[in-house]
Amino acid sequence: MAHLLNTSFIPTSQPLRRNPTSSAPALISGRRGRAQVQAKIREIFMPALSSTMTEGKIVSWVKSEGDKLSKGESVVVVESDKADMDVETFYDGYLASIMVEEGGVAAVGSAIALLAETEDEIAEAKAKASSSSAAPAAPAPAVAAPEPQPAKIADNVGPAVVPKAAATVASTHPASEGGKRIVASPYAKKLAKDLKVDLGSVVGSGPLGRIVAKDVEAFAAQPTVAVAAEPSVGKSAAAVAAEAGIELGSVVPFTTMQGAVSRNMLESLSVPTFRVGYTITTDALDALYKKIKSKGVTMTALLAKATALALVKHPVVNSGCRDGKSFTYNSSINIAVAVAIDGGLITPVLQDADKVDIYTLSRKWKELVDKARAKQLQPHEYNTGTFTVSNLGMFGVDRFDAILPPGTGAIMAVGSSQPTVVATKDGRIGRKNQMQVNVTADHRIIYGADLASFLQTLAKIIEDPKDLTF
């Protein structure tokens, strides 16, 4: 659901001022109740789209200055620390003045535009905006990346020039922010998915190079010409980097998402953690997966379900501490699963994973992954996890440690399942598939015995997975 733009009355006889209050809906009502009746011009504030968001970036203005707005209508697309969201207006009126242009960054709660109640007040609003002492937020540095150098790239990829190949090589345009992230409208992302178009190969024609629907349609209509990929062996580092749209030696500012990840990781350093590893035999789980895979079941959903069932018996491992003085036994078991996306990392949440059947859980997971990669997750879909799972097994990684997300009690790192020679109970040599899991936990609330007991329960569920399909 799109979020509503926070607005506040400002008296027509007073200059603009920044409202220091939070953008929470409850406080919006409070501001509205205290507003002066004679005020006709409203400040539109940068909304808080998640609990961790401190600033937002204007991806694009859906409406232009002077456009008439109706309550509930989309006005602007804002990039939060985790997603791009269409933001709606809370009031009827006219978009009188845009104070933060596309590509600009503004703190949560600061004014980004003015909303006039009538058309006659647009000129007055513009005058107030121009006379305001608060300067507009500067555009994000990432947008002002160095322009690509076609001549240099052409030398690296050879003389052959075909429509789609050329677009791929020149993919470092403003919409990709230095090759780190694709900036596209929500509809363009949906269209690209339907038409099976790689947005990284599309050059945007929108503001600041943003990809819009017509760009996707035009690219999809181009004839596909097969180009034989040259082997990377023997190529210089500069040549490989140029093909990937990376300029070696350049300094690339964090995206909004990378900034959020950085802050969370630094916050994690203040938590005293410890790690416990455990080896689990996966033969029975592998057999179950092969049996029900055709019904749409994913291995991620199976692992999340097994973890949730184990947490039912060990509620302390599902608890969390935020203030350093107390901890909470969470009433729900919400399994967050780490997913790598362009320019960052996000953890979609499978809510009530212990209560949902494996088939519904698998469908929900696929839906969450699609939304995550399109940057369309809503806050409750990524910030409500009570226990996190990070799985690198699909890359052949046999073991690793994960960093504890702030506010949660534990995170489990899952390695790949690999054939292993083991000793059987009768003293013979056998072969079994085994995987290594390592749990990182907050030692203020979870102790070694707690994790050991939890991992024993998890191993029993995975090694005899009959309960996973109930």
Side-chain angles (χ1 to χ4, degrees):
M1 182 177 67
H3 290 256
L4 296 177
L5 277 174
N6 304 322
T7 57
S8 175
F9 274 128
I10 57 172
T12 56
S13 60
Q14 297 181 11
L16 288 176
R17 55 186 173 82
R18 176 173 172 176
N19 193 317
T21 59
S22 165
S23 59
L27 294 180
I28 297 170
S29 298
R31 285 202 303 266
R32 199 166 62 232
R34 296 194 299 269
Q36 298 184 29
V37 176
Q38 72 270 24
K40 299 293 184 180
I41 299 171
R42 301 176 188 270
E43 286 180 327
I44 298 177
F45 296 97
M46 173 64 72
L49 302 179
S50 73
S51 59
T52 59
M53 179 175 168
T54 58
E55 62 181 23
K57 176 181 175 182
I58 305 297
V59 177
S60 67
W61 284 96
V62 179
K63 297 293 184 178
S64 302
E65 290 186 352
D67 286 354
K68 182 174 176 56
L69 307 177
S70 299
K71 180 179 177 180
E73 192 173 9
S74 293
V75 178
V76 62
V77 179
V78 172
E79 177 191 346
S80 71
D81 51 3
K82 296 292 184 181
D84 289 350
M85 295 188 183
D86 286 339
V87 184
E88 302 170 354
T89 179
F90 203 75
Y91 298 96
D92 294 336
Y94 292 85
L95 184 58
S97 177
I98 293 175
M99 301 172 68
V100 181
E101 297 294 337
E102 293 179 349
V105 176
V108 168
S110 63
I112 59 175
L114 294 181
L115 181 72
E117 186 173 317
T118 66
E119 208 168 357
D120 296 336
E121 290 152 350
I122 293 179
E124 183 181 353
K126 285 182 177 291
K128 286 183 178 293
S130 61
S131 64
S132 173
S133 59
V143 177
E147 295 183 3
Q149 300 177 12
K152 218 179 260 188
I153 293 175
D155 290 340
N156 291 327
V157 299
V161 178
V162 291
K164 290 197 176 181
T168 302
V169 172
S171 61
T172 306
H173 49 79
S176 68
E177 296 190 356
K180 293 294 183 182
R181 177 183 170 276
I182 304 299
V183 181
S185 69
Y187 180 62
K189 292 177 180 178
K190 180 179 183 303
L191 195 62
K193 178 184 174 185
D194 295 340
L195 298 177
K196 294 182 173 54
V197 170
D198 177 14
L199 285 175
S201 302
V202 181
V203 177
S205 63
L208 297 173
R210 188 183 189 221
I211 298 172
V212 294
K214 66 179 183 180
D215 300 325
V216 177
E217 292 170 343
F219 185 84
Q222 293 178 10
T224 302
V225 181
V227 179
E230 297 180 16
S232 59
V233 179
K235 285 189 178 182
S236 67
V240 174
E243 290 180 5
I246 299 172
E247 183 179 348
L248 297 181
S250 62
V251 177
V252 182
F254 281 165
T255 63
T256 307
M257 178 177 288
Q258 289 170 328
V261 171
S262 176
R263 290 191 297 272
N264 285 341
M265 295 303 95
L266 289 174
E267 185 179 344
S268 295
L269 293 177
S270 65
V271 179
T273 59
F274 72 107
R275 296 164 180 80
V276 175
Y278 205 93
T279 301
I280 302 176
T281 299
T282 62
D283 290 322
L285 182 67
D286 294 338
L288 175 63
Y289 176 57
K290 289 180 181 178
K291 182 179 178 181
I292 60 179
K293 180 180 179 181
S294 61
K295 298 179 181 179
V297 174
T298 66
M299 180 57 77
T300 296
L302 284 170
L303 290 172
K305 181 72 173 179
T307 302
L309 293 179
L311 289 172
V312 170
K313 300 180 180 180
H314 304 276
V316 70
V317 184
N318 190 52
S319 63
C321 172
R322 287 198 174 273
D323 59 6
K325 300 177 182 179
S326 62
F327 68 98
T328 303
Y329 283 109
N330 291 302
S331 57
S332 300
I333 296 177
N334 300 333
I335 305 298
V337 184
V339 173
I341 60 176
D342 286 340
L345 179 75
I346 198 166
T347 52
V349 177
L350 290 166
Q351 299 185 6
D352 296 315
D354 58 315
K355 301 174 183 177
V356 180
D357 67 85
I358 191 63
Y359 304 102
T360 303
L361 205 63
S362 294
R363 289 194 296 271
K364 183 62 178 177
W365 175 243
K366 290 178 179 178
E367 174 190 326
L368 288 171
V369 170
D370 287 343
K371 293 178 72 174
R373 288 175 177 160
K375 295 200 73 180
Q376 293 299 305
L377 285 176
Q378 297 299 308
H380 72 275
E381 294 176 317
Y382 62 77
N383 64 10
T384 55
T386 58
F387 184 97
T388 306
V389 174
S390 181
N391 182 10
L392 292 179
M394 69 284 291
F395 299 109
V397 175
D398 59 355
R399 66 183 67 196
F400 68 103
D401 290 325
I403 299 176
L404 182 68
T408 60
I411 179 172
M412 183 168 69
V414 181
S416 63
S417 177
Q418 299 179 341
T420 308
V421 176
V422 298
T424 61
K425 292 181 179 179
D426 58 4
R428 300 188 179 188
I429 299 297
R431 174 186 174 279
K432 292 184 178 180
N433 289 328
Q434 294 184 328
M435 71 177 182
Q436 177 79 20
V437 297
N438 293 326
V439 180
T440 301
D442 184 343
H443 213 330
R444 297 173 300 179
I445 56 177
I446 301 171
Y447 306 119
D450 298 323
L451 277 192
S453 182
F454 162 73
L455 288 170
Q456 286 178 334
T457 301
L458 177 65
K460 289 178 181 178
I461 293 172
I462 290 177
E463 291 170 1
D464 184 15
K466 60 181 183 298
D467 293 337
L468 297 183
T469 53
F470 288 164

